């Protein structure tokens, strides 16, 4: 009887695939299309994502801005007080370069709609950073007492103190920048961290030469 014929039987009789099967193929096709689309979106979205306030990138930019600010301060003291041409030039280069980098870092934080300082303790963005901050100071930073002594120094004493403090400061900054470059997947942060490492490694070589000259005089 006709009433006993199912839709599957009818589809088979006409040579067509069963309706349920056709719907199954459509579902699979849609699923595959969704997977492909999702993968494509996954490739595009990261370009528009910005780091969050607790990210490695934000933490590094905030901390390095503070770190750089002290280097600029020490460099300006040396630039104004030293009588040694090589040290005056080095101090000017450090102050100019690191102040410009502070500008980049603060601009990126503004672009990401993030607070320029944040509310996290220093160095929390770096894994296993326990002990890196001593009395509130990040790696390589001079103490308030050392800065006070530097401000009062003159002549050879000023030169030696500045070079010694800046060498330690650079070593600490290089360590932070290398860690940021390893941990970050943001191209701007990677670029500026790499620039810091290269520039400060070169300046350490110059500092060592100037220190030898200052101590020999």
């Amino acid at each position: 009887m006709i009433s006993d014929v199912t839709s599957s039987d009818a589809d088979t009789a006409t040579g067509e695939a069963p309706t349920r099967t056709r719907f199954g193929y459509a579902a699979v096709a849609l699923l595959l299309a969704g997977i492909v689309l999702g993968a494509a979106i996954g490739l595009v979205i990261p370009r528009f994502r910005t780091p969050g306030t607790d990210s490695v990138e934000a933490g590094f930019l905030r901390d390095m801005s503070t770190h750089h600010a002290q280097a600029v301060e020490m460099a300006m003291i040396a630039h104004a007080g030293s009588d040694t041409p090589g040290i005056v030039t080095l101090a000017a280069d450090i102050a100019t370069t690191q102040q410009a980098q502070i500008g980049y870092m603060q601009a990126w934080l503004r672009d990401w709609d993030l607070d320029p300082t944040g509310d996290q303790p220093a160095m929390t963005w770096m894994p296993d950073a326990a002990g890196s901050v001593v009395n509130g100071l990040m790696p390589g930073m001079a103490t308030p007492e050392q800065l006070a002594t530097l401000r009062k120094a003159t002549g050879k004493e000023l030169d030696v103190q500045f070079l010694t403090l800046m060498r330690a400061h650079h070593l600490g900054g290089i360590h932070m920048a290398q860690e940021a470059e390893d941990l970050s997947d943001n191209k701007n942060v990677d670029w500026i961290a790499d620039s810091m490492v290269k520039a400060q490694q070169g300046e350490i070589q110059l500092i060592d030469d100037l220190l030898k000259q200052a101590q020999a005089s």
Side-chain angles (χ1 to χ4, degrees):
M1 295 176 62
I2 295 175
S3 59
D4 293 330
V5 178
T6 65
S7 61
S8 295
D9 292 334
D11 288 337
T12 302
T14 59
E16 296 180 3
T19 303
R20 186 181 304 169
T21 303
R22 290 202 301 273
F23 285 150
Y25 288 154
V28 171
L30 286 172
L31 179 60
L32 291 173
I35 292 172
V36 172
L37 180 60
I41 291 174
L43 293 174
V44 173
I45 284 179
R47 299 178 187 175
F48 299 99
R49 268 191 208 130
T50 56
T53 192
D54 295 329
S55 65
V56 166
E57 291 82 6
F60 170 69
L61 296 186
R62 288 164 176 156
D63 284 354
M64 190 55 80
S65 291
T66 300
H67 202 273
H68 270 23
Q70 189 185 76
V72 172
E73 180 183 1
M74 292 194 297
M76 294 305 295
I77 292 171
H79 186 268
S82 178
D83 295 322
T84 305
I87 291 177
V88 172
T89 299
L90 172 65
D93 289 344
I94 291 173
T96 302
T97 300
Q98 297 207 15
Q99 189 60 53
Q101 289 174 343
I102 290 173
Y104 276 115
M105 294 186 287
Q106 291 297 303
W108 290 331
L109 288 169
R110 287 195 300 271
D111 289 345
W112 301 340
D113 293 323
L114 299 179
D115 190 285
T117 55
D119 57 5
Q120 295 295 314
M123 304 297 291
T124 54
W125 57 272
M126 186 190 295
D128 304 320
S132 296
V133 179
V134 179
N135 296 324
L137 299 173
M138 288 175 279
M141 292 185 71
T143 66
E145 294 75 19
Q146 288 173 323
L147 289 176
T149 301
L150 179 65
R151 292 188 192 99
K152 297 175 183 177
T154 58
K156 176 181 176 179
E157 182 183 1
L158 170 62
D159 289 349
V160 172
Q161 286 185 21
F162 167 68
L163 294 171
T164 301
L165 291 175
M166 190 58 74
R167 189 182 196 283
H169 202 276
H170 273 11
L171 288 174
I174 289 169
H175 173 62
M176 292 169 63
Q178 288 174 330
E179 285 291 321
E181 192 173 4
D182 288 342
L183 296 170
S184 173
D185 58 5
N186 180 280
K187 64 180 182 180
N188 288 330
V189 172
D190 289 345
W191 166 75
I192 202 165
D194 184 61
S195 298
M196 291 172 185
V197 170
K198 290 177 179 175
Q200 294 183 32
Q201 284 175 337
E203 286 171 351
I204 285 176
Q205 294 179 2
L206 179 56
I207 287 171
D208 287 342
D209 290 342
L210 291 169
L211 260 176
K212 288 178 182 177
Q213 296 172 21
Q215 291 169 338
S217 61

